[in-house]
Amino acid sequence: MSQNQVEILQRALKREKAARKAAEKILEEKSRELFETNQKLKETNFHLETSLTQADSQLQGVFENIVDAYVITDLWGNILKMNDSAVTLLGFEDANEDFNLLEMLDLKEKDKVESWFKGMLKQGSSTDFHVNITTRDRQEKLVHINSSLIYDNDVAVAVQGIVRDVTIQNKYKKSLEAERLKYSNIIANMNLGLIEINLEGKIIMINQSFSDMSGYNQEQLIGFEAKDVFTLDNEGAELIEEEKRKRVKGESNSYEIKVQTKAGDDRHWLVSGAPNYDIEGKQIGSIAVTLDITDFKTLQNQKEKLLTKLEKSNDELQEYAHIVSHDLKSPLRSINALVSWLKEDNQGKLDDVSLQNFALIETTLEKMEQLITDVLNYSSVGAQTSPQADVNINNMVLDLCQILYVPEHINIKVLNPLPIIKGDKTKLQQLFQNLISNAVKFIDKPEGLIQINVVDLPTHYEFSIQDNGMGIEKKFHDKIFKIFHSLNKSKDSTGIGLSIVKKIVDLHEGEIWLESEPKVGTTFHFTLKK
């Protein structure tokens, strides 16, 4: 080998050694970079695994504790996973049951479900879907579903959904709608007018009855204030303004107002107003129910005029009765005086028949005078001559027993303390006096007994006056309270006393009746309002 060839080889070896050293240096640097990168990847992977573990734990917690039912199925409806809420909602025994949710669907809703699923595949999610199902434990429910697809490398592999039972809410909603429709129909067709007003006092709704009452349709009234449409004068407008202020304060009440309809007719309305609130309790205006009381007001005015006229007629009749009584009694007294003079002037000259005739005339005159007195008393019973006051019946009856003539063989007993009632003292005294005197008059037993008693009822007192007299036959029980019906044709009986008694009981808002048995006795029962 020549010297030149040796030199060439040496130079080539030297270059190869230099290149190898450079390559080793590069390899060492790359190895160091690779090691550092590997360490960083290990650290990053550790953090990623930790984050994934934490996220999975959080998602699992949400899955298990979410209030709503959460279900994951494959694309054919087979359950892959569900939480406890889903187990309860869908009627399963545990979360590991193998079941296809499509079996729960109502067959009538098959097309509806297919359309929903196709839409979800296209859009990736679906909200507010409602479907009827029959749960595993055979309960029919309406459920609300929000769902979305689960992807793996952009390929849909499963469906997740939140399911909520809305059966009760749906029934409640339907019930509310039915109630709303029912009351809307009632309001639209009832005879009472209904008007709704906002906070500014402007009309926002009326029903058909209000339209019929006022002559205006809803379009003609919306946006207007009632005071500007219906009131006749400033007084009516001020009244509506005052009522509007009351509504703002939350007050409800009723009032009367004179209005004018579209046809120009003057009418009287009774208005019942109340504040109107929204579902959150915020006041949004007021509602008023109106009733046309024009006819009632007309009748009321006529009644007041008739009462005034009747009161005047009663006063005139009372005055006339006193005048007639005086005018009738005057000739009777004159006849009685003439009879007495004739008897005195012809003393010792008259035979027994003449004396008997004169006695008959005197008896008749006495009866006529008593009859006139009783008729006057009967006509005076209805006149409110004394103010209503508290009357102690017990003291009044005890005083009567001292004043009235009661034979020694008759005993009067008050069985219970008698009450204090509100009434006309004079008329109540006349009531008890007539009944006690009547009992005394018709006692035919050697030992007479009159018992007075009272029973406390909720609104009235029931009094009874019982005697052991001659009694009254059943067929006369209803007749004896009629004027001029007397069962005993004596000079002391005019047939008016019990008629006066009934009239006084009627004035005190009570009733009177009797129980009686001939030859045993009679009990008069009567009630007086407390």
Side-chain angles (χ1 to χ4, degrees):
M1 181 179 299
S2 65
Q3 185 63 32
N4 288 336
Q5 289 177 332
V6 171
E7 290 177 357
I8 292 171
L9 289 172
Q10 287 178 343
R11 287 196 296 270
L13 182 61
K14 186 179 182 180
R15 284 196 299 269
E16 185 178 349
K17 287 181 178 180
R20 185 180 299 168
K21 287 182 179 180
E24 289 176 353
K25 185 177 182 181
I26 292 171
L27 183 60
E28 288 178 1
E29 290 178 355
K30 293 297 181 182
S31 296
R32 185 174 60 256
E33 290 177 1
L34 183 61
F35 176 78
E36 291 175 354
T37 301
N38 185 53
Q39 290 298 112
K40 289 181 181 180
L41 284 174
K42 286 183 179 180
E43 185 178 351
T44 301
N45 186 58
F46 174 77
H47 289 303
L48 182 59
E49 287 181 355
T50 302
S51 298
L52 287 173
T53 301
Q54 291 176 348
D56 184 65
S57 177
Q58 291 173 354
L59 288 174
Q60 184 66 24
V62 172
F63 177 80
E64 293 176 352
N65 297 306
I66 188 172
V67 175
D68 292 318
Y70 180 73
V71 183
I72 299 176
T73 70
D74 61 21
L75 298 180
W76 295 270
N78 297 303
I79 296 176
L80 302 176
K81 192 173 185 180
M82 59 181 166
N83 65 354
D84 291 340
S85 296
V87 172
T88 302
L89 171 63
L90 300 176
F92 290 106
E93 293 184 0
D94 58 62
N96 298 317
E97 286 195 48
D98 187 13
F99 192 81
N100 191 299
L101 286 182
L102 297 178
E103 297 179 20
M104 292 186 177
L105 299 177
D106 188 338
L107 293 178
K108 297 177 183 179
E109 298 189 299
K110 178 181 178 182
D111 294 340
K112 175 182 175 182
V113 173
E114 287 182 356
S115 177
W116 162 73
F117 189 71
K118 288 179 180 178
M120 186 178 60
L121 286 176
K122 183 178 180 180
Q123 298 177 7
S125 62
S126 174
T127 58
D128 296 329
F129 179 66
H130 291 79
V131 64
N132 290 293
I133 64 171
T134 301
T135 64
R136 188 75 160 145
D137 54 355
R138 313 307 301 169
Q139 293 187 45
E140 294 183 356
K141 294 182 179 182
L142 176 68
V143 294
H144 168 276
I145 302 174
N146 287 335
S147 59
S148 63
L149 295 174
I150 297 175
Y151 296 92
D152 183 15
N153 294 325
D154 296 330
V155 177
V157 294
V159 180
Q160 62 180 353
I162 294 177
V163 187
R164 182 173 297 173
D165 185 356
V166 294
T167 309
I168 296 177
Q169 292 93 319
N170 186 62
K171 289 181 179 179
Y172 181 65
K173 183 178 179 180
K174 287 183 177 179
S175 177
L176 283 178
E177 182 63 24
E179 290 294 311
R180 187 196 66 79
L181 182 60
K182 179 177 73 173
Y183 287 111
S184 294
N185 290 333
I186 292 173
I187 290 171
N189 297 288
M190 67 182 181
N191 292 325
L192 296 174
L194 182 73
I195 179 171
E196 187 174 346
I197 299 169
N198 63 19
L199 290 173
E200 289 73 37
K202 298 186 184 300
I203 299 170
I204 58 176
M205 188 278 289
I206 65 170
N207 70 342
Q208 185 58 46
S209 294
F210 187 87
S211 178
D212 296 339
M213 289 170 57
S214 66
Y216 294 92
N217 59 39
Q218 183 163 282
E219 288 72 22
Q220 293 170 326
L221 292 178
I222 288 180
F224 290 91
E225 292 192 41
K227 66 182 179 64
D228 296 332
V229 180
F230 300 109
T231 54
L232 296 170
D233 48 34
N234 290 333
E235 184 178 349
E238 290 175 0
L239 176 59
I240 291 179
E241 283 295 317
E242 175 61 25
E243 293 301 323
K244 186 170 74 172
R245 288 191 287 270
K246 289 180 181 179
R247 301 298 166 267
V248 173
K249 295 178 182 178
E251 297 180 19
S252 303
N253 71 319
S254 299
Y255 60 95
E256 293 181 18
I257 187 170
K258 188 176 181 182
V259 300
Q260 189 174 71
T261 66
K262 185 181 180 182
D265 298 328
D266 293 347
R267 308 294 291 179
H268 289 273
W269 289 353
L270 176 64
V271 182
S272 297
N276 188 23
Y277 301 93
D278 62 16
I279 194 171
E280 296 177 353
K282 182 181 178 182
Q283 188 175 144
I284 57 175
S286 61
I287 291 180
V289 176
T290 59
L291 173 66
D292 192 321
I293 58 171
T294 307
D295 294 340
F296 173 77
K297 291 289 288 186
T298 302
L299 290 174
Q300 189 179 44
N301 292 334
Q302 291 176 354
K303 177 184 175 182
E304 290 175 357
K305 291 178 181 178
L306 286 173
L307 287 175
T308 302
K309 186 177 180 180
L310 181 61
E311 186 177 355
K312 183 178 179 181
S313 297
N314 283 339
D315 292 340
E316 292 175 351
L317 182 61
Q318 193 69 21
E319 184 179 353
Y320 176 74
H322 283 279
I323 293 172
V324 170
S325 174
H326 179 270
D327 290 347
L328 287 176
K329 284 184 177 181
S330 181
L332 291 178
R333 293 191 186 100
S334 298
I335 294 171
N336 190 51
L338 289 172
V339 169
S340 298
W341 294 342
L342 284 172
K343 287 171 65 178
E344 290 176 2
D345 293 343
N346 294 279
Q347 191 173 7
K349 300 177 182 180
L350 299 173
D351 57 17
D352 292 341
V353 175
S354 297
L355 290 173
Q356 186 177 355
N357 288 335
F358 276 121
L360 184 59
I361 292 172
E362 289 174 335
T363 300
T364 303
L365 290 173
E366 289 178 12
K367 187 171 182 179
M368 282 295 295
E369 185 169 357
Q370 183 62 44
L371 179 61
I372 292 169
T373 300
D374 287 348
V375 169
L376 178 62
N377 289 336
Y378 182 80
S379 65
S380 301
V381 169
Q384 295 294 332
T385 54
S386 301
Q388 295 283 311
D390 290 336
V391 181
N392 190 317
I393 303 297
N394 199 76
N395 293 342
M396 185 183 72
V397 169
L398 293 177
D399 292 341
L400 281 174
C401 292
Q402 299 296 322
I403 297 171
L404 295 174
Y405 169 70
V406 181
E408 293 183 357
H409 72 286
I410 296 177
N411 185 25
I412 299 177
K413 290 184 178 180
V414 179
L415 301 182
N416 288 315
L418 304 179
I420 296 174
I421 68 170
K422 182 80 74 175
D424 186 323
K425 183 177 181 179
T426 303
K427 290 180 174 58
L428 289 173
Q429 182 171 323
Q430 190 176 8
L431 165 64
F432 281 89
Q433 180 176 330
N434 282 8
L435 288 175
I436 294 172
S437 298
N438 197 68
V440 170
K441 188 188 304 181
F442 295 107
I443 286 179
D444 56 352
K445 308 293 190 304
E447 296 291 333
L449 177 63
I450 298 173
Q451 297 183 105
I452 302 173
N453 201 4
V454 65
V455 176
D456 190 353
L457 302 178
T459 58
H460 290 69
Y461 288 109
E462 181 184 326
F463 295 89
S464 62
I465 298 179
Q466 181 181 11
D467 65 61
N468 63 341
M470 61 179 62
I472 304 170
E473 293 184 33
K474 181 80 173 177
K475 63 181 180 180
F476 298 117
H477 285 191
D478 293 332
K479 294 181 179 180
I480 61 174
F481 295 112
K482 297 179 180 179
I483 193 168
F484 300 128
H485 278 74
S486 175
L487 302 183
N488 191 318
K489 303 300 182 182
S490 68
K491 70 184 182 81
D492 297 325
S493 178
T494 61
I496 297 179
L498 289 178
S499 301
I500 292 174
V501 164
K502 185 177 186 309
K503 203 169 183 182
I504 293 172
V505 170
D506 290 342
L507 285 173
H508 289 81
E509 302 180 43
E511 297 179 357
I512 185 167
W513 68 98
L514 73 150
E515 297 172 351
S516 185
E517 185 178 345
K519 298 181 181 180
V520 176
T522 302
T523 302
F524 281 91
H525 298 272
F526 59 95
T527 58
L528 300 175
K529 191 172 182 180
K530 292 182 177 179

